[in-house]
Amino acid sequence: MAVLSEELRDQIRAQFPKYPNKQAVVLPALHLVQDVHRSVSIEAVREIAELLELHPSEVHDAMSFYQFFKDEKHPLGKHRVWVCRSISCMLRGGEELLQHMCERLHVHPGQTSADGKITMEFAECLGACEGAPCVLVDDEAHMNITHEKADELLRSL
């Protein structure tokens, strides 16, 4: 039985005209699959490779090179929270903020809370230095985050 729905396959195929060749669609395809399934399974890698007319190892190489993608043994939580560790954020307490949020969730960076709701990660730069320290929750940036604001964010998720 196929892992990728026909709708998801169509979304991947819709990327073809946007790129010079099918190999260039690997990253968008991985993002689409992970957004739906919260991970990219080995079977999904095979099906993406088939759609893109590539060897599965080529898709897996891209997936493993970018640590953004999660496999089926380590799926993303419902929400993904990134704490910035750039020099600007570090100087304004980013490392301590990351540690504080991890302690609140009883996880280490890269892990998902026991209830499956939040995956905590760090980013080398989120590009919001003017609001250091900053946190990205899913696709929404939050700036000038204190421990109290971090606690509110976590509670809201």
Side-chain angles (χ1 to χ4, degrees), residues 140-151:
E140 185 178 338
H142 300 267
M143 296 192 244
N144 300 305
I145 299 297
T146 61
H147 288 202
E148 293 77 22
K149 287 182 182 178
D151 291 343

Side-chain angles (χ1 to χ4, degrees), residues 4 17 20-21 23 25 32 34 53 56 60 65-66 68 75 77 81 85 89 95 110 118 124 136 138-139 142 144 156:
L4 305 184
N21 56 51
Q23 185 175 16
V25 180
L32 287 166
Q34 181 162 278
E53 299 174 357
H60 189 268
F65 179 80
Y66 297 98
F68 184 84
V81 177
R85 290 185 2 170
C89 287
E95 289 289 334
I118 301 170
E124 292 306 326
L136 186 67
D138 299 323
D139 294 325
H142 300 267
N144 300 305
S156 73

Side-chain angles (χ1 to χ4, degrees), residues 22-31 48 52 54 58-59 62-63:
K22 288 182 179 179
Q23 185 175 16
V25 180
V26 170
L27 290 178
L30 288 167
H31 280 286
I48 291 169
L52 303 182
L54 300 171
E58 293 175 276
V59 176
M63 180 180 154

Side-chain angles (χ1 to χ4, degrees), residues 41-84:
S41 67
I42 294 298
E43 187 53 38
V45 166
R46 286 186 191 110
E47 292 179 27
I48 291 169
E50 184 180 316
L51 275 171
L52 303 182
E53 299 174 357
L54 300 171
H55 192 276
S57 66
E58 293 175 276
V59 176
H60 189 268
D61 285 350
M63 180 180 154
S64 60
F65 179 80
Y66 297 98
Q67 296 180 355
F68 184 84
F69 302 104
K70 301 290 187 178
D71 62 28
E72 66 268 27
K73 294 178 185 171
H74 306 95
L76 286 173
K78 182 177 179 184
H79 300 283
R80 192 174 210 175
V81 177
W82 299 85
V83 177
C84 185

Side-chain angles (χ1 to χ4, degrees), residues 76-79 112-119:
L76 286 173
K78 182 177 179 184
H79 300 283
T112 301
S113 59
D115 60 7
K117 290 184 179 177
I118 301 170
T119 298

Side-chain angles (χ1 to χ4, degrees), residues 93 96-98 100-101 104 145-152:
E96 294 82 3
L97 181 62
L98 175 62
H100 173 79
M101 294 177 82
R104 288 280 188 250
I145 299 297
T146 61
H147 288 202
E148 293 77 22
K149 287 182 182 178
D151 291 343
E152 288 174 30

